[in-house]
């Protein structure tokens, strides 16, 4: 599989919780700091990059920075990147700021190791990719290709980072916190392992699929609350709980559940300042939150967490899931 997957996942500031996993033997995850190694190579006249970073170099130079061609040599790619960095305003500062903030990544690696162990246990036969890091210039947050994944650390410098001003909308700044790296990684792993293949793309189909993703992450990262995983503040989560029945009643009455209208779909599922159907006091992505509630109810009624793989694989029809979940009854 020779392709890239680019995603932005909206996020809100939370402190990374301590991981309760005591034994991560066989699942220890170490971030491979391509950003550091590339900087060394560009600073060295020889331009030598360790061999284990060559695959990500090719992706980075040809697909992210787009300064080289796929057939170029490693030396030329490093040289091309060096020229881009020398001419790009602010890239040196961005590299320095990223290194300062991510000088120590042991907290991220610990939670990734614990999560990887659970991920491979919950989804037998899956694989957990090698995780690299890079500086993107505020481009894609996460890229995947074959069995590797790379995280643009400069997209997680904190919502108060001055360099983000004028680059992102205010509501997008909640995307930029360090604490969201781990959930983002597992979200992409799940998207890769269980791609969304629904043909009609009705609102309820997206709700069920994304609800499964949120439920799966809650199992992989049990120290994270649903409000953290959904990227909601305590106040927004309280709003959801207080208005849950009203949200559902409105969607049913407005016949939005089975709508294939892209605009309606996006208003329930996409990142935004809020969900426009419910006003400025509401959080965004309410369809995903309700989808999680449906899946939570379905799995409780089935009394089997092992059914999660089948749900994500699309084994069950949406109508069947909704009926058997008894949600809204």
């Amino acid at each position: 599989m020779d392709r890239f997957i680019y995603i932005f996942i909206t996020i809100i500031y939370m402190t990374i919780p301590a991981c309760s996993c005591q034994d991560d033997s066989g699942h220890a995850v170490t971030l491979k700091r391509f950003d550091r190694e590339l900087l060394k190579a560009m600073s060295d006249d020889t331009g030598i990059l360790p061999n284990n970073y060559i695959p990500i170099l090719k992706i980075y130079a040809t697909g992210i920075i787009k300064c080289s061609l796929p057939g170029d040599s490693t030396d030329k790619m490093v040289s091309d990147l060096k020229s881009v960095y020398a001419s790009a305003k602010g890239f040196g500062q961005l590299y320095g700021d990223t290194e300062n903030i991510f000088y120590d990544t042991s907290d991220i690696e610990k939670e990734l190791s614990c999560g990887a162990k659970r991920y491979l246990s919950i989804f037998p036969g899956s694989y957990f990719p090698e995780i690299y890091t890079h500086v993107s210039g505020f481009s894609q947050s996460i890229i995947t290709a074959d069995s590797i994944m790379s995280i643009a650390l400069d997209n997680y410098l904190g919502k108060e980072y001055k360099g983000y001003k004028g680059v992102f909308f205010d509501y997008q700044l909640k995307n930029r916190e360090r604490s969201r790296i781990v959930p983002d990684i597992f979200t992409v792993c799940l998207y890769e392992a269980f791609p969304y293949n629904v043909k009609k793309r009705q609102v309820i189909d997206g709700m069920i699929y994304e609800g499964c993703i949120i439920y799966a992450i809650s199992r992989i990262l049990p120290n994270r609350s649903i409000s953290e995983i959904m990227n909601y503040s305590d106040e927004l989560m309280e709003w959801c709980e207080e208005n849950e029945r009203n949200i559902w009643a409105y969607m049913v009455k407005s016949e939005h559940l089975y709508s294939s209208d892209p605009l309606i779909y996006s208003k329930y599922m996409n990142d935004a300042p809020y969900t426009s159907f419910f006003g400025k006091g509401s959080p965004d992505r309410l369809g995903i939150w309700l989808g999680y509630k449906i899946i939570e109810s379905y799995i409780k009624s089935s009394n089997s967490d092992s059914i999660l793989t089948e749900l994500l694989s699309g084994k069950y029809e949406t109508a069947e899931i909704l009926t058997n979940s008894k949600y809204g009854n």
Side-chain angles (χ1 to χ4, degrees):
M1 180 177 62
D2 185 14
R3 60 195 177 92
F4 309 124
I5 292 180
Y6 307 105
I7 69 165
F8 286 95
I9 306 175
T10 57
I11 44 189
I12 194 167
Y13 175 77
M14 303 284 177
T15 301
I16 292 181
C19 181
S20 62
C21 174
Q22 298 299 317
D23 178 17
D24 58 12
S25 58
H27 303 286
V29 178
T30 301
L31 296 180
K32 295 174 174 57
R33 297 299 299 270
F34 171 68
D35 51 320
R36 285 180 180 166
E37 293 298 330
L38 177 60
L39 190 61
K40 291 179 184 176
M42 291 189 298
S43 301
D44 187 344
D45 290 337
T46 62
I48 296 175
L49 191 71
N51 287 335
N52 57 320
Y53 288 96
I54 301 304
I56 188 62
L57 170 68
K58 293 179 179 179
I59 295 169
Y60 185 72
T62 63
I64 301 175
I65 305 301
K66 298 180 180 179
C67 61
S68 302
L69 298 175
D72 288 345
S73 67
T74 298
D75 290 346
K76 187 176 187 309
M77 288 182 182
V78 172
S79 177
D80 290 343
L81 287 166
K82 186 174 182 179
S83 297
V84 170
Y85 283 14
S87 61
K89 183 179 179 180
F91 230 109
Q93 180 68 45
L94 183 58
Y95 244 92
D97 293 341
T98 300
E99 175 60 22
N100 287 337
I101 292 173
F102 289 100
Y103 178 77
D104 180 6
T105 57
S106 58
D107 57 329
I108 298 170
E109 292 170 337
K110 177 62 177 177
E111 193 179 14
L112 279 175
S113 297
C114 295
K117 182 176 182 179
R118 297 190 189 96
Y119 175 77
L120 295 171
S121 174
I122 296 168
F123 302 107
S126 299
Y127 73 92
F128 190 75
E130 293 185 289
I131 308 294
Y132 293 81
T133 62
H134 66 277
V135 173
S136 70
F138 307 146
S139 185
Q140 294 82 6
S141 292
I142 298 178
I143 63 167
T144 66
D146 296 325
S147 61
I148 67 175
M149 181 184 296
S150 191
I151 314 302
L153 293 180
D154 56 316
N155 280 340
Y156 297 94
L157 299 177
K159 62 184 178 182
E160 302 297 333
Y161 181 64
K162 293 181 179 179
Y164 292 156
K165 186 176 181 180
V167 177
F168 302 106
F169 293 113
D170 287 346
Y171 77 88
Q172 293 175 318
L173 292 176
K174 61 184 180 179
N175 300 4
R176 308 301 155 198
E177 298 295 339
R178 175 195 189 102
S179 63
R180 300 312 303 174
I181 290 176
V182 174
D184 286 1
I185 287 173
F186 284 109
T187 297
V188 176
C189 286
L190 290 165
Y191 284 158
E192 285 274 87
F194 304 100
Y196 182 55
N197 292 319
V198 177
K199 295 180 180 179
K200 291 184 178 180
R201 198 176 176 83
Q202 296 174 324
V203 172
I204 187 62
D205 295 319
M207 289 170 62
I208 294 298
Y209 174 75
E210 294 291 350
C212 283
I213 297 292
I214 297 297
Y215 185 89
I217 294 174
S218 74
R219 292 283 316 283
I220 295 167
L221 303 174
N223 287 347
R224 301 257 184 170
S225 67
I226 293 302
S227 60
E228 287 180 293
I229 295 170
M230 281 296 304
N231 314 314
Y232 289 169
S233 66
D234 291 341
E235 291 77 15
L236 289 177
M237 182 56 71
E238 183 178 353
W239 187 97
C240 289
E241 293 168 351
E242 289 178 352
N243 290 279
E244 183 175 355
R245 284 185 174 274
N246 294 333
I247 299 166
W248 180 253
Y250 177 85
M251 294 185 74
V252 172
K253 182 179 179 180
S254 302
E255 299 183 347
H256 285 171
L257 287 175
Y258 294 95
S259 173
S260 298
D261 186 326
L263 181 60
I264 293 175
Y265 186 98
S266 67
K267 287 184 176 182
Y268 282 110
M269 309 300 293
N270 290 359
D271 304 325
Y274 51 87
T275 300
S276 60
F277 294 119
F278 304 101
K280 292 184 178 180
S282 66
D284 60 347
R285 297 166 294 119
L286 278 174
I288 296 177
W289 180 71
L290 277 185
Y292 161 76
K293 298 294 286 187
I294 293 169
I295 293 302
E296 181 185 43
S297 179
Y298 182 88
I299 290 178
K300 283 182 179 179
S301 66
S302 69
N303 197 31
S304 174
D305 275 358
S306 63
I307 204 170
L308 183 58
T309 299
E310 297 175 352
L311 288 169
L312 281 166
S313 299
K315 181 177 180 179
Y316 299 99
E317 293 293 331
T318 299
E320 179 183 357
I321 295 171
L322 187 57
T323 299
N324 291 338
S325 72
K326 300 180 175 60
Y327 185 82
N329 293 346

